[in-house]
Amino acid sequence: MNQVPKKLLMPRISLSLALLFCLLVFALSLGLSIWGQACKNVDYGPFNFAVAGDFGAPLALTVSGGVKASDVQVKELIAGKGEKITENTQLLYKGEAFRYHPATGLVTSNEVIFGGNLQDIPPGQLHDALNGVKQGSRIAVVNIPDAKGNTEITVVDILPTTITATSQTPLTQNGFPSFSFNQEQVPVLSQDVTPLDTLTHWEMTTGSGKLVTLEDTIYANYLIADTKGVVLENTWENTRPAKIVISEVFAGLQQTVLDKTEGTKLMIAIPGAQAQGQDLVMIIDILRIAS
């Protein structure tokens, strides 16, 4: 019996496999379409959500029910008492986005730390939700479901850009100047100091967040002055918090902030040998480690 030549047989096999693959893809697409339409027609009950977790810490979200157009909202969960957010104020927040479908449940995305101001956020629901809200607030933004019925729920904690000092006792005997705080808790130096021989620091507030490492970049606000009390730089006057790469700063600052925690407020007396040749006094708020 004559055998079919292999060269003639292979194209037929390939054509059959291609046709079978196309049929499978069509069947899968049809099934998903029918399933998606069925999900839209299912009554999952009223939409509800609840957020658990301390302010600024990782969150847990529980959600139930189906999301309708009337459920799209911005909800203030915690009312802050800090500075009001505007286009020209500093903005620092921790955000967590969750994707929810009533048939498949909840998927959590990674935490995002944002530092800048409102002008850096594209126009839209989040931008509008943050405008006018005070630091210390927590808001939840429920977005419009997409074509597949997935809803993104974003929970944002608006973090403070100034840390309140819990200890304000001047340490002039250790090379620190006298100082005070204005109404916004920004430090004001009121006395010059003698030349500095030793790197010294004082924790005005001890934070409870993550430890700063050499590999980190942090959001911070700081004031730097010389030993005469002349302010050389004050980031509280800027419209965005400072972003500091720890591995790139001068030795006195780097040595002091390493292994300190987020939420710590420090005063540092830095000899010129560890501060690029000039004795410096620095007050720094370690606000948050960047994402």
Side-chain angles (χ1 to χ4, degrees):
M1 184 168 110
N2 294 332
Q3 292 184 341
V4 179
K6 289 184 178 179
K7 289 184 179 180
L8 295 177
L9 184 61
M10 290 303 293
R12 295 179 185 177
I13 295 173
S14 298
L15 181 61
S16 298
L17 290 174
L19 181 60
L20 179 60
F21 177 75
C22 289
L23 288 172
L24 287 172
V25 170
F26 174 75
L28 180 60
S29 300
L30 181 62
L32 288 174
S33 176
I34 294 172
W35 179 81
Q37 190 61 41
C39 286
K40 289 182 180 179
N41 296 330
V42 173
D43 183 5
Y44 292 101
F47 172 70
N48 289 290
F49 73 94
V51 180
D54 293 336
F55 183 83
L59 303 175
L61 181 69
T62 55
V63 190
S64 62
V67 184
K68 302 179 178 63
S70 58
D71 295 315
V72 175
Q73 61 180 294
V74 175
K75 186 175 182 180
E76 187 175 58
L77 305 176
I78 298 174
K81 298 180 180 179
E83 185 178 10
K84 183 181 291 187
I85 302 301
T86 69
E87 296 285 344
N88 298 311
T89 58
Q90 294 186 1
L91 174 60
L92 182 68
Y93 72 70
K94 180 190 75 68
E96 290 187 56
F98 303 83
R99 191 176 73 240
Y100 170 71
H101 192 288
T104 57
L106 198 64
V107 178
T108 307
S109 72
N110 292 328
E111 175 185 290
V112 173
I113 303 296
F114 170 88
N117 69 21
L118 205 54
Q119 298 179 50
D120 301 323
I121 300 175
Q125 194 172 19
L126 180 59
H127 178 282
D128 295 342
L130 291 168
N131 192 14
V133 176
K134 292 184 177 181
Q135 293 181 0
S137 297
R138 171 178 290 172
I139 61 172
V141 181
V142 180
N143 293 281
I144 299 172
D146 63 18
K148 296 181 179 179
N150 295 305
T151 300
E152 184 177 274
I153 303 170
T154 305
V155 182
V156 178
D157 287 352
I158 298 106
L159 305 172
T161 53
T162 300
I163 297 168
T164 301
T166 56
S167 176
Q168 299 184 15
T169 305
L171 297 183
T172 51
Q173 69 274 20
N174 292 328
F176 294 105
S178 297
F179 65 94
S180 59
F181 291 96
N182 64 18
Q183 189 174 359
E184 288 75 33
Q185 286 293 304
V186 174
V188 179
L189 301 183
S190 56
Q191 177 182 315
D192 61 358
V193 297
T194 57
L196 304 174
D197 298 320
T198 306
L199 177 66
T200 311
H201 75 273
W202 166 38
E203 289 191 17
M204 305 162 75
T205 300
T206 300
S208 58
K210 298 176 183 176
L211 289 175
V212 177
T213 71
L214 189 60
E215 292 74 33
D216 286 327
T217 297
I218 64 170
Y219 288 109
N221 271 317
Y222 59 83
L223 179 148
I224 299 177
D226 64 16
T227 53
K228 298 298 182 182
V230 176
V231 175
L232 306 176
E233 188 175 3
N234 182 358
T235 66
W236 275 282
E237 297 176 347
N238 300 338
T239 58
R240 294 170 176 82
K243 196 172 185 179
I244 301 173
V245 181
I246 300 302
S247 62
E248 297 178 2
V249 298
F250 54 84
L253 175 58
Q254 182 184 104
Q255 182 178 330
T256 305
V257 300
L258 283 178
D259 296 327
K260 296 297 186 294
T261 52
E262 296 169 323
T264 295
K265 188 182 197 81
L266 296 167
M267 178 177 272
I268 317 171
I270 310 171
Q274 295 171 286
Q276 300 174 325
Q278 181 182 9
D279 288 357
L280 297 175
V281 175
M282 185 172 185
I283 296 177
I284 181 169
D285 286 1
I286 303 172
L287 301 173
R288 197 77 180 201
I289 296 171
S291 297

